[in-house]
Amino acid sequence: VHLIPVNPIREDGLNPKSRKRIMPDLLTEPPAIDPVYEAHIYCNIPTIAERSMEGHAPHYFKLVSVQVLIRHGDRYPLYAIPKTKRPDIDCMLLPSRKPSHPQLEAFIKHMSKGSAAQMDGSLSSLPRYPSHSLCEMGELTQTGVVQHLRNGQLLREIYINKHKLLLSDWTAKQLYLETTGKSRTLQSALALLYTFLPDFDWKKINMRHQWSTIFCSGSCDCPMRNHYLEEEQRRQYSLRVKNNDLEKIYVDMAKIVGIPTRQLRASNPIDSLLCYFCHNVSFPCTKTGCISMEHFKVIKRHQLEDERERQEKKLYFLYALLATHPLLNQTVNRLQRIAEGKKEEVFVLYSAHDVTLSPVLSALGITEARFPRFAARLVFELWQDGKRPKEHFIRILYNGADVTFQTSFCKDYYKRFSKPMCPLEKFVTFVKRDMFLVFNSTSYYDACRRRLL
């Protein structure tokens, strides 16, 4: 009998000398980036009903506050590709056109009667809903309105119908609403509130205007934040210059539209191309040729690689800590007041941008999170332990997924205790003290002025 030597089989069932890999080893191999799949997720086209983890807690816990940070919904591009026809998207709201929502028609009627609302400064002059037959640059689309009507409806079913966070006789003092001065953020907030509130009463809507996209209010003076942002932008530029495939694509696209490559790059073509992609409109053509799906894939793939390197290099993380401290500090102070028994501002809505959400996710240590899609939502829930009423806990959810134990301040707690939430004190300590440790500082003011060696 000839004994044929066989290679030992590892525990995972793979032959160590075999070159063929049936399944990738998920622990060592990063998943292959599929730019088209990622772009579909970014578009967030309203189709199937969304499953979410909001409002989940042991039966003896009581929900006492919810703070929501949203990105505006789907919008028309902010940039145009020179010498091409703008994407033909209609920003009139038509309930008969897809995607639609059962409450879209009622929303349009209600928004046209909004004179009783309290709107800060320039917000009162903004339109309450999109209404141009050819969208204006940056304007919210019908898709964007529907995305937030759905967000509001989903949150209402959980927080109003199930947990009774606001009752039918709710008052203006129970809400805190803040938005940047763009029509798309104001309109996104109104769409969400319309389907969320027990009864949308204009007299109780007091919308505050935030001039800063990072919601830093009166604490925006921070030289080191600007320094880290400049360093991060240098890193971005360096990665782009090294990408030969990207450069070839830009050269090719510039020839198609008949402009210098530098001018095409400056027009930020991915912003415009994503609009064509999300609305299923053919990419633009000229007499010389057409921009193709291959062009789109290469630019989108680079964008995803850039996000991955950004996580690794930590410059953005340092920027994010300083950029988001004022907003997180405001959040923590409010949660502490409610934990002490105050009944005001139990529901908070900040209507913002990708450049608001992205640094908040980074600062919290939620590194697995995707870049904020259209109508992304980040939720902070505050819970009171019914068995020990003085103890309060938080849950953090991103697009319906519970990310509480991905945060830097609650990872270790979860390993030691089996509670399904994070003690409020952990979040407070992180925002009031631990955010500054990496800067060798004890305060926001000091961290903003201390240069790391």
Side-chain angles (χ1 to χ4, degrees):
V1 177
H2 294 284
L3 294 174
I4 302 168
V6 289
N7 293 319
I9 300 296
R10 297 196 321 220
E11 281 180 25
D12 57 11
L14 290 174
N15 180 326
K17 293 203 176 161
S18 166
R19 288 281 174 265
K20 286 186 179 174
R21 302 290 294 279
I22 299 162
M23 288 289 287
D25 186 340
L26 295 178
L27 296 175
T28 57
E29 292 184 10
I33 291 175
D34 180 348
V36 174
Y37 173 74
E38 294 293 334
H40 274 297
I41 288 175
Y42 178 83
C43 297
N44 189 20
I45 304 301
T47 47
I48 54 170
E50 198 178 353
R51 291 178 63 193
S52 79
M53 291 292 293
E54 278 108 343
H56 285 231
H59 64 90
Y60 55 88
F61 273 75
K62 185 188 177 201
L63 181 72
V64 286
S65 171
V66 172
Q67 305 203 36
V68 184
L69 173 61
I70 58 169
R71 184 189 178 192
H72 58 75
D74 177 79
R75 59 156 170 77
Y76 201 68
L78 300 171
Y79 303 87
I81 300 173
K83 298 197 178 178
T84 62
K85 185 175 175 289
R86 283 169 53 188
D88 191 9
I89 312 288
D90 184 348
C91 273
M92 299 288 283
L93 297 184
L94 298 171
S96 58
R97 183 175 60 215
K98 288 184 178 177
S100 191
H101 188 276
Q103 285 171 271
L104 180 58
E105 193 168 354
F107 169 76
I108 299 163
K109 281 183 188 154
H110 212 88
M111 289 304 113
S112 55
K113 304 174 189 159
S115 56
Q118 297 288 311
M119 296 269 181
D120 258 10
S122 60
L123 295 180
S124 55
S125 62
L126 293 175
R128 307 286 157 89
Y129 58 93
S131 61
H132 295 97
S133 53
L134 175 60
C135 298
E136 297 192 336
M137 301 304 266
E139 186 173 12
L140 199 68
T141 64
Q142 175 159 320
T143 302
V145 171
V146 169
Q147 286 165 335
H148 278 302
L149 289 172
R150 284 168 60 108
N151 268 343
Q153 184 181 13
L154 182 138
L155 297 181
R156 178 191 176 119
E157 283 165 11
I158 298 160
Y159 297 136
I160 305 293
N161 300 349
K162 184 178 173 188
H163 288 289
K164 310 287 187 265
L165 184 70
L166 297 172
L167 301 175
S168 55
D169 60 348
W170 65 277
T171 67
K173 285 184 175 177
Q174 290 176 290
L175 299 190
Y176 181 89
L177 313 171
E178 195 168 339
T179 176
T180 60
K182 299 290 182 189
S183 63
R184 61 183 175 275
T185 47
L186 173 64
Q187 292 164 6
S188 292
L190 292 173
L192 187 150
L193 289 168
Y194 183 74
T195 47
F196 172 75
L197 292 170
D199 164 41
F200 188 98
D201 182 346
W202 277 114
K203 293 198 259 326
K204 301 180 193 172
I205 302 295
N206 179 7
M207 193 71 73
R208 293 165 176 83
H209 175 225
Q210 173 57 249
W211 64 272
S212 156
T213 55
I214 53 171
F215 283 63
C216 52
S217 302
S219 309
C220 294
D221 179 25
C222 187
M224 288 311 296
R225 179 196 68 220
N226 301 338
H227 165 73
Y228 292 123
L229 183 59
E230 284 162 17
E231 291 288 305
E232 163 62 15
Q233 286 163 343
R234 279 196 195 95
R235 180 206 62 74
Q236 280 179 0
Y237 176 76
S238 166
L239 186 70
R240 197 182 73 209
V241 169
K242 284 188 273 194
N243 190 327
N244 292 331
D245 289 347
L246 184 68
E247 191 54 33
K248 281 179 199 155
I249 286 293
Y250 274 133
V251 169
D252 194 40
M253 285 171 64
K255 277 184 192 156
I256 290 169
V257 297
I259 57 170
T261 309
R262 184 179 295 176
Q263 191 185 343
L264 178 81
R265 224 184 271 115
S267 73
N268 194 6
I270 190 64
D271 184 64
S272 191
L273 293 178
L274 276 164
C275 180
Y276 287 95
F277 180 86
C278 293
H279 289 265
N280 206 17
V281 176
S282 299
F283 292 136
C285 291
T286 68
K287 290 173 186 170
T288 321
C290 293
I291 293 173
S292 72
M293 184 58 87
E294 283 313 305
H295 294 121
F296 174 76
K297 280 183 189 172
V298 171
I299 300 176
K300 183 66 188 163
R301 188 176 288 116
H302 170 74
Q303 202 182 34
L304 294 162
E305 284 164 2
D306 179 64
E307 281 171 39
R308 186 176 284 177
E309 189 186 90
R310 186 177 77 183
Q311 299 277 12
E312 291 166 8
K313 290 288 168 72
K314 297 295 183 194
L315 289 165
Y316 186 79
F317 173 65
L318 295 173
Y319 158 75
L321 288 170
L322 296 176
T324 62
H325 179 262
L327 177 59
L328 290 174
N329 193 46
Q330 196 180 69
T331 300
V332 153
N333 288 341
R334 188 180 289 112
L335 292 175
Q336 284 183 299
R337 286 197 299 274
I338 291 166
E340 286 160 11
K342 295 273 194 313
K343 297 281 191 260
E344 295 180 359
E345 299 180 356
V346 294
F347 180 77
V348 175
L349 179 65
Y350 294 108
S351 188
H353 306 263
D354 54 356
V355 293
T356 323
L357 258 85
S358 192
V360 171
L361 292 165
S362 181
L364 294 173
I366 306 168
T367 53
E368 301 300 306
R370 280 188 166 90
F371 188 79
R373 67 191 190 187
F374 284 131
R377 65 181 188 275
L378 181 67
V379 176
F380 297 83
E381 296 176 348
L382 181 65
W383 295 83
Q384 183 180 35
D385 186 337
K387 295 178 180 175
R388 297 187 188 86
K390 289 219 165 112
E391 290 189 17
H392 288 79
F393 294 81
I394 64 160
R395 288 178 78 230
I396 299 174
L397 302 106
Y398 183 51
N399 297 330
D402 189 336
V403 294
T404 311
F405 301 114
Q406 290 179 32
T407 60
S408 56
F409 54 88
C410 231
K411 270 187 181 132
D412 293 340
Y413 175 81
Y414 186 55
K415 289 171 192 166
R416 294 199 307 274
F417 302 94
S418 59
K419 286 254 173 148
M421 310 184 199
C422 186
L424 175 60
E425 308 87 76
K426 290 265 176 203
F427 188 33
V428 174
T429 305
F430 169 72
V431 173
K432 301 286 186 186
R433 189 192 72 191
D434 295 352
M435 281 182 94
F436 314 122
L437 294 179
V438 70
F439 304 104
N440 199 19
S441 298
T442 54
S443 72
Y444 175 65
Y445 181 87
D446 188 46
C448 280
R449 281 150 187 82
R450 187 180 293 252
R451 190 174 285 268
L452 287 175
L453 295 175

